[in-house]
């Protein structure tokens, strides 16, 4: 039996027990047998969660791209590493072999070096889902630069905040991107962002849509001519196990986004291990994750996890709806996809359309279906199971976070019996704990509480860029000696976990984490707005949608409310991005507050969800009278 590849339920339990009894030996064996190292570690794990300080494979030396690319060249050099499926179905797909990927990454890495990027420098990547994005990520890793990918749907202001927070000296972007029938002027967004980013010295621009763009003299350069001139081989930088590999921003319930820092060796080992097991990837399989590389799902399960296993991974540039609602299934048929990984929000949207869009395609290649990003409701689960999986593909409902780096709780397909809405069991090496509000661990089954993890795992984020105190406060202070996830969960009578949702002020809209604070800050920028509060309410397709309660300044009260609503959403689009637009905006005279001045979001959430039967005790509020007024005018 190998620890690396779990093949049935009995093995899972054996491996799991071993991983808890002796985590160091467990991970050491996996690290030893499945990766290439330039120097072996001195110590597998060292940690102190009170600080918190965590280090895995300390003393080891490696380069992650040697593991993701070079070592495969001998055994599978002509195997396809990446299939690029363009937005337009009439444009030919691109198959990039491991050999070709090696050359492209090396050339790109040399360009970065020629342009002055050094080990440890931060490089912001703001690219659409084209091969250059994956190549750019790997090129940074090749030379030890820290990549910070920003999802190319974020606004210029959001981009600028992220560039400045980690002081990127270079931005990689493209002249634009395709999304269905639309094109997006990415370079224009970068130009706007850079007006407030003094530290950026250079911008390299990939050509995608052939649009006529402005190039700023001395700062901007076209990427392709540089690649053409660059040398085709690049000696990888030898990194320490704990050197940062990348920064990826995630929303917090308060303040600016948190730049989660992931380190090299632990992240590599864990994403590779979980990819192999959760998708039961076999040598000739073709795997497709529909996420964008701008999110953690794309980092871990489009790029690093699959490539570390020598897999064939698909990158899709477009949207599920173009040219029609059958696009996903057309791609599954076209590339004979074996494992398909997507978000519940996409499934809910697809399930609303006619089944003809599914039935005209041959989906018989599929072996494993996955979901990620939010709870999957029972109806969507059944639609997925019946119509896409034809009732014979296990669905892996994978629970994890940007902070965890890799999948934490998930069935192992063909081993763990699945139940709709349950993420089921922790993967080997993961020790969840459910806590009550007084900080006690809830032992046994049939309990529900706050979800924590009580022992380190290799791919946990090591800090928040530039703010270790915030890292400690956010994740390690609520429950002593434990990592707190911000989610609630229950454990059923058989020990299965079901994630019940966020217990903080993060709202998950269409699978994207949105903190309430940055949206409220944006709204409050509107000259007519005095104060605002955002809550989530259930939405058929998005999972949650946003409901805003807005108090206007006296001067704004006479304004046309429909126009104001448009303007508020416009401001949100500029500051955060279109994803954070509000579905409903209620203008109100007041917001329910505690005596200490805190907005009682619980009440606002209930009103937005039209669930006002039990609002709890409102008499302790500073201003109980506003509650009735808000209810009377609810949308
Ligand atoms: C939620 C995405 C229920 C959860 C990889 C978590 C889920 C947040 C699931 C992290 C799931 C993710 N079931 N909820 N299978 N997967 N979540 O950082 O609230 O974008 O804390 O990482 O998404 O979102 P993030």
């Amino acid at each position: 039996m190998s620890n690396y590849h779990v093949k049935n339920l009995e093995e899972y339990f054996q491996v799991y027990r071993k991983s808890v009894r002796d985590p160091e030996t467990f991970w050491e064996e996996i690290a030893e047998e499945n990766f290439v190292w330039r120097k072996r570690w001195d110590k597998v794990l060292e940690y102190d969660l009170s600080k918190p300080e965590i280090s895995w494979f300390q003393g080891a030396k490696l380069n992650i791209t040697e593991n993701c690319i070079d070592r495969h060249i001998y055994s599978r050099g002509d195997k396809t590493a990446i299939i690029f499926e363009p937005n337009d179905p009439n444009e030919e797909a691109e198959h990039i072999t491991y050999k070709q990927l090696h050359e492209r990454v090396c050339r790109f890495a040399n360009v970065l070096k020629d342009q002055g990027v050094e080990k440890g420098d931060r490089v912001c990547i703001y690219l659409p889902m084209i091969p250059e994005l994956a190549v750019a990520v790997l090129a940074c890793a090749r030379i030890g630069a820290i990549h910070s990918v920003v999802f190319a749907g974020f606004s210029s202001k959001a981009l600028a905040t992220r560039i400045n927070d980690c002081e990127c000296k270079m931005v990689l972007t493209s002249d634009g991107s395709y999304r269905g029938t639309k094109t997006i002027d990415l370079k224009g967004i970068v130009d706007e962002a850079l007006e407030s980013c003094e530290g950026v010295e250079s911008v390299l621009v990939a050509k995608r849509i052939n649009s006529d763009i402005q190039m700023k003299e001395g700062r901007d350069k076209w990427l392709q001519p540089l690649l053409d001139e660059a040398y085709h081989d690049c000696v990888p930088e030898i990194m320490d196990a704990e050197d940062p590999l990348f920064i990826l921003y995630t929303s917090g319930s308060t303040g600016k986004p948190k730049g989660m820092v992931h380190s090299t060796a632990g992240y590599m080992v864990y994403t590779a291990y979980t990819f192999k097991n959760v998708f039961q990837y076999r040598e000739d399989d073709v795997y497709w994750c529909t996420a964008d590389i701008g999110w953690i799902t794309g980092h871990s399960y489009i790029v690093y996890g699959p490539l570390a296993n020598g897999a064939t991974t698909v990158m899709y540039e477009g949207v599920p709806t173009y040219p029609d609602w059958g696009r996903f299934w057309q791609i599954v048929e076209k590339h004979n996809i074996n494992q398909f990984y997507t978000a519940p929000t996409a499934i809910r949207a697809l399930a609303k359309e006619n089944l003809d869009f599914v039935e005209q395609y041959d989906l018989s290649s599929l072996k494993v279906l996955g979901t990620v990003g939010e709870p999957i409701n029972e109806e969507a689960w059944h639609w997925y199971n019946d119509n896409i999986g034809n009732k014979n593909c296990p669905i892996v409902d994978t629970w994890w976070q940007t902070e965890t780096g890799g999948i934490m709780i998930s069935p192992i397909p063909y081993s763990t019996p699945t139940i709709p809405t349950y993420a089921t069991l922790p993967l080997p090496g993961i020790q969840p704990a459910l806590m009550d509000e007084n900080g006690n661990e809830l032992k046994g089954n049939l309990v529900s509480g706050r979800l924590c993890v009580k022992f380190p795992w290799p791919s946990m984020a090591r800090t928040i860029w530039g703010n270790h105190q915030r890292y400690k406060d956010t994740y390690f202070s609520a429950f002593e000696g434990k990592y707190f996830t911000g989610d609630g969960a229950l454990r059923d009578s058989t020990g299965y976990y079901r994630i019940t949702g966020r217990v903080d002020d993060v709202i998950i809209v269409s699978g994207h984490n949105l903190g309430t604070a940055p949206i409220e800050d944006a709204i409050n920028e509107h000259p007519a707005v005095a104060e605002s509060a955002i809550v989530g309410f259930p939405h058929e397709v998005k999972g949650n949608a946003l409901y805003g309660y807005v108090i206007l300044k006296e001067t704004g009260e006479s304004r046309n409310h429909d126009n104001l609503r448009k303007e508020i959403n416009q401001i949100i689009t500029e500051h955060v991005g279109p994803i954070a637009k509000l579905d409903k905006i209620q203008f109100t005279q007041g917001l329910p507050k505690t005596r200490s001045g805190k907005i009682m979001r619980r009440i606002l959430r209930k009103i937005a969800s039209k669930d006002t039967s039990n609002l709890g005790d409102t008499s302790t509020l500073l201003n109980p009278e506003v509650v009735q007024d808000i209810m009377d005018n609810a949308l």
Side-chain angles (χ1 to χ4, degrees):
M1 187 185 74
S2 117
N3 290 335
Y4 190 68
H5 188 187
V6 176
K7 295 187 213 64
N8 58 55
L9 196 58
E10 200 184 320
E11 268 185 26
Y12 162 78
F13 283 116
Q14 273 180 28
V15 169
Y16 185 78
R17 276 195 295 271
K18 181 169 172 185
S19 78
V20 172
R21 210 171 42 232
D22 187 357
E24 295 193 34
T25 310
F26 174 75
W27 288 112
E28 176 157 53
E29 284 173 12
I30 289 173
E32 209 154 44
E33 288 162 17
N34 300 283
F35 301 90
V36 293
W37 304 90
R38 289 298 188 100
K39 177 182 170 285
R40 206 190 141 86
W41 45 91
D42 306 317
K43 190 139 190 9
V44 177
L45 169 64
E46 199 132 31
Y47 72 101
D48 176 350
L49 293 185
S50 70
K51 288 192 171 147
E53 275 172 15
I54 304 117
S55 111
W56 283 90
F57 309 110
Q58 207 176 77
K61 299 217 180 267
L62 74 157
N63 185 288
I64 195 168
T65 68
E66 277 196 312
N67 282 278
C68 289
I69 309 170
D70 302 49
R71 64 162 160 159
H72 304 312
I73 290 178
Y74 310 105
S75 51
R76 16 174 119 89
D78 294 321
K79 175 176 173 175
T80 301
I82 296 175
I83 298 177
F84 169 63
E85 174 64 33
N87 176 65
D88 179 353
N90 298 315
E91 189 183 327
E92 224 172 289
E94 201 181 328
H95 291 248
I96 304 168
T97 65
Y98 273 94
K99 262 193 211 143
Q100 292 165 335
L101 183 62
H102 180 263
E103 179 172 336
R104 288 176 72 159
V105 169
C106 284
R107 282 181 192 274
F108 206 132
N110 286 326
V111 168
L112 295 178
K113 284 212 259 190
D114 292 345
Q115 298 298 315
V117 179
E118 293 173 5
K119 177 176 178 176
D121 285 345
R122 275 78 60 205
V123 173
C124 174
I125 305 180
Y126 188 71
L127 276 166
M129 281 287 283
I130 56 178
E132 283 79 359
L133 170 53
V135 173
V137 161
L138 293 162
C140 287
R142 186 88 176 167
I143 64 167
I146 302 171
H147 55 78
S148 168
V149 184
V150 177
F151 171 60
F154 274 116
S155 69
S156 60
K157 288 211 168 72
L159 174 61
T161 308
R162 287 158 175 79
I163 291 173
N164 287 331
D165 183 70
C166 65
E167 299 169 297
C168 295
K169 72 188 232 195
M170 180 187 270
V171 178
L172 305 173
T173 189
S174 68
D175 58 347
S177 67
Y178 293 118
R179 264 185 95 72
T181 54
K182 288 193 279 187
T183 57
I184 297 165
D185 175 18
L186 290 189
K187 178 62 168 52
I189 297 173
V190 169
D191 288 341
E192 234 177 88
L194 293 193
E195 281 171 24
S196 51
C197 303
E198 281 173 6
V200 173
E201 293 162 12
S202 51
V203 178
L204 304 186
V205 187
K207 202 168 238 176
R208 177 58 183 144
I209 65 170
N210 289 310
S211 66
D212 193 14
I213 56 162
Q214 298 287 324
M215 296 292 273
K216 186 169 167 187
E217 186 71 44
R219 187 194 71 184
D220 304 349
K221 295 196 178 80
W222 288 105
L223 178 63
Q224 195 57 49
L226 299 174
L227 289 171
D228 292 341
E229 280 168 25
Y231 189 57
H232 67 270
D233 200 1
C234 171
V235 178
E237 187 76 35
I238 303 308
M239 308 298 288
D240 287 338
E242 281 295 326
D243 277 338
L245 175 64
F246 66 85
I247 300 166
L248 185 60
Y249 286 87
T250 187
S251 311
S253 42
T254 56
K256 60 178 187 176
K258 299 171 289 196
M260 304 312 307
V261 180
H262 281 283
S263 69
T264 306
Y267 176 82
M268 171 184 78
V269 168
Y270 193 77
T271 53
Y273 178 75
T274 48
F275 173 76
K276 178 75 182 169
N277 287 293
V278 171
F279 299 103
Q280 290 291 307
Y281 184 84
R282 304 284 169 130
E283 184 61 36
D284 295 320
D285 289 347
V286 179
Y287 159 89
W288 180 24
C289 164
T290 70
D292 192 290
I293 293 176
W295 309 114
I296 190 69
T297 306
H299 281 62
S300 302
Y301 300 109
I302 295 177
V303 182
Y304 289 114
L307 297 178
N309 282 283
T312 301
T313 175
V314 175
M315 274 181 82
Y316 172 48
E317 181 182 29
V319 292
T321 51
Y322 178 75
D324 62 41
W325 285 94
R327 183 68 159 126
F328 272 7
W329 320 125
Q330 181 254 332
I331 296 173
V332 168
E333 177 183 288
K334 176 176 174 187
H335 296 297
N336 287 304
I337 303 294
N338 301 111
Q339 292 91 358
F340 177 76
Y341 191 29
T342 197
T345 185
I347 298 168
R348 287 191 296 266
L350 292 159
K352 286 180 68 153
E353 303 303 319
N354 199 309
L355 266 183
D356 289 349
F357 288 119
V358 179
E359 285 166 352
Q360 57 183 297
Y361 299 106
D362 177 3
L363 306 183
S364 60
S365 56
L366 289 170
K367 296 194 287 192
V368 176
L369 300 176
T371 68
V372 58
E374 55 182 320
I376 178 162
N377 51 307
E378 197 146 354
E379 208 182 333
W381 192 97
H382 283 294
W383 185 86
Y384 201 29
N385 188 45
D386 296 355
N387 300 299
I388 308 305
N390 198 17
K391 293 200 171 84
N392 60 29
C393 287
I395 296 177
V396 290
D397 176 351
T398 64
W399 174 82
W400 57 297
Q401 308 178 295
T402 305
E403 295 86 336
T404 69
I407 298 170
M408 304 286 280
I409 304 182
S410 166
I412 291 182
Y414 298 99
S415 298
T416 319
T418 59
I419 305 179
T421 77
Y422 281 79
T424 73
L425 297 170
L427 292 177
I430 304 307
Q431 301 186 34
L434 296 178
M435 311 296 294
D436 72 14
E437 286 180 23
N438 305 319
N440 303 312
E441 183 173 348
L442 298 158
K443 300 274 169 116
N445 291 340
L446 278 177
V447 288
S448 86
R450 291 168 183 235
L451 178 60
C452 289
V453 186
K454 58 184 177 186
F455 194 83
W457 65 101
S459 67
M460 62 198 296
R462 301 297 194 257
T463 190
I464 292 175
W465 184 266
N467 199 344
H468 195 68
Q469 186 63 41
R470 188 175 179 198
Y471 178 64
K472 178 177 171 174
D473 294 346
T474 311
Y475 302 106
F476 296 90
S477 300
F479 303 100
E480 211 189 311
K482 295 183 178 65
Y483 166 80
F484 175 46
T485 65
D487 282 323
L490 64 81
R491 193 162 51 224
D492 78 357
S493 58
T494 61
Y496 271 21
Y497 288 85
R498 179 184 185 172
I499 311 301
T500 47
R502 301 290 310 184
V503 294
D504 57 11
D505 289 333
V506 172
I507 305 170
I508 305 201
V509 178
S510 299
H512 302 314
N513 290 8
L514 297 172
T516 50
I519 305 174
E520 288 162 5
D521 290 348
I523 300 173
N524 298 347
E525 297 267 311
H526 192 289
V529 171
E531 202 183 350
S532 60
I534 304 296
V535 297
F537 69 98
H539 184 281
E540 219 189 327
V541 173
K542 302 183 194 178
N544 294 295
L546 299 178
Y547 192 118
Y549 297 89
V550 175
I551 305 179
L552 294 174
K553 290 181 184 157
E554 257 171 49
T555 48
E557 281 175 2
S558 56
R559 297 269 316 269
N560 175 307
H561 280 184
D562 284 339
N563 287 345
L564 275 173
R565 287 191 176 97
K566 278 195 199 122
E567 290 169 20
I568 286 172
N569 270 331
Q570 185 54 35
I571 282 204
I572 294 175
T573 305
E574 282 163 22
H575 281 74
V576 188
I579 180 82
K581 282 202 269 189
L582 309 182
D583 272 37
K584 293 184 182 175
I585 300 178
Q586 177 178 354
F587 295 102
T588 172
Q589 301 293 330
L591 292 166
K593 291 198 175 162
T594 62
R595 286 183 196 276
S596 59
K598 235 178 139 231
I599 298 172
M600 285 288 280
R601 286 172 201 278
R602 185 178 51 78
I603 293 176
L604 295 176
R605 264 194 293 271
K606 289 208 156 195
I607 297 174
S609 313
K610 301 196 182 338
D611 167 25
T612 48
S613 55
N614 177 17
L615 284 183
D617 183 9
T618 56
S619 65
T620 57
L621 290 176
L622 192 65
N623 50 354
E625 70 288 349
V626 300
V627 175
Q628 192 58 46
D629 183 56
I630 294 177
M631 272 166 49
D632 292 345
N633 294 297
L635 302 172

